[in-house]
Amino acid sequence: MDNNVPASGGKGGFGSLFGGSEYSNTELSGVPLTGMSPLSPYLNVDPRYLVQDTDEFILPTGASKSRGRFELAFFTIGGCCITGAAFGTVNGLRMGLKETRAMGWTKPRNVQILNMVTRQGASWANTLGSVALLYSVFGVAIEKARGAEDDINTVAAGTLTGMLFKSTGGMKGVARGGLVGLAISSAYALYSNWNHIKGSSSSNLY
């Protein structure tokens, strides 16, 4: 046997059998271990092409990346109905237990508590669902009329919702409902833009 044959770890090793190239420690010493910019010695592809700088989904022409008021209306109405039903159930249970305190744990008491729970749950779900429906309708209508989506639509829709919801109470009810809707919608608009306001104020300081 010829002892001068190079070992398998040299330039003629297993890497050359598969068409690859061998890299010594000296050749790899200048390759940084972090970052995606340099060409990797282990892959025959530039890693820069693997970085996704754009969105991975396709939007129709003219479509927005965020959901509009019409799409959010279904979530708003359903969420308000579920929230109202849950709150009404808890309130009905509290009222039922309070009104039947003098009765023992009998079947009539259980039936009365159950009736109170279902009545209060349906009432609160109907109330909050109606408010959410009015708010969504006003929001979509104002957005289509103005051709823009901003906090003005939110405040206007909230104010009109409060006015219409309390319209059965006369002019005082309309004014009171409008003020309540204006306050709630303004508070929501301020909360949704709080990070932007903080960022603007901090940038002005520096």
Side-chain angles (χ1 to χ4, degrees):
M1 178 181 295
D2 190 2
N3 294 330
N4 294 327
V5 177
S8 59
K11 294 289 183 179
F14 290 105
S16 60
L17 295 178
F18 297 98
S21 58
E22 295 291 335
Y23 293 90
S24 62
N25 293 333
T26 304
E27 293 171 338
L28 294 178
S29 60
V31 179
L33 298 179
T34 58
M36 297 291 290
S37 56
L39 184 64
S40 173
Y42 305 101
L43 300 173
N44 193 21
V45 63
D46 193 344
R48 288 176 294 182
Y49 293 107
L50 302 178
V51 179
Q52 296 290 336
D53 295 331
T54 59
D55 298 328
E56 297 183 0
F57 53 89
I58 301 175
L59 293 172
T61 304
S64 176
K65 293 183 179 181
S66 60
R67 293 181 293 179
R69 286 186 178 270
F70 184 77
E71 290 80 7
L72 292 175
F74 301 97
F75 170 77
T76 303
I77 297 172
C80 287
C81 288
I82 295 175
T83 303
F87 183 81
T89 299
V90 175
N91 188 43
L93 180 61
R94 180 189 63 82
M95 294 176 60
L97 292 175
K98 183 179 180 180
E99 293 181 2
T100 60
R101 185 181 304 171
M103 302 173 59
W105 285 103
T106 58
K107 186 175 181 180
R109 185 187 185 187
N110 296 336
V111 172
Q112 189 170 351
I113 293 175
L114 182 60
N115 291 337
M116 187 67 68
V117 167
T118 54
R119 189 181 303 114
Q120 288 293 318
S123 177
W124 278 94
N126 183 37
T127 301
L128 292 185
S130 300
V131 172
L133 177 61
L134 292 175
Y135 172 78
S136 300
V137 170
F138 279 127
V140 172
I142 295 173
E143 179 186 4
K144 297 299 182 182
R146 297 183 63 241
E149 171 55 33
D150 50 22
D151 294 328
I152 297 178
N153 299 345
T154 301
V155 176
T159 304
L160 293 176
T161 299
M163 294 174 63
L164 183 59
F165 185 75
K166 301 298 291 186
S167 60
T168 57
M171 295 303 298
K172 291 184 178 180
V174 170
R176 191 181 300 111
L179 290 177
V180 173
L182 176 63
I184 295 177
S185 58
S186 299
Y188 173 76
L190 181 63
Y191 171 77
S192 60
N193 294 286
W194 184 250
N195 292 331
H196 179 69
I197 295 174
K198 288 179 62 178
S200 299
S201 60
S202 61
S203 61
N204 292 331
L205 292 177
Y206 297 99

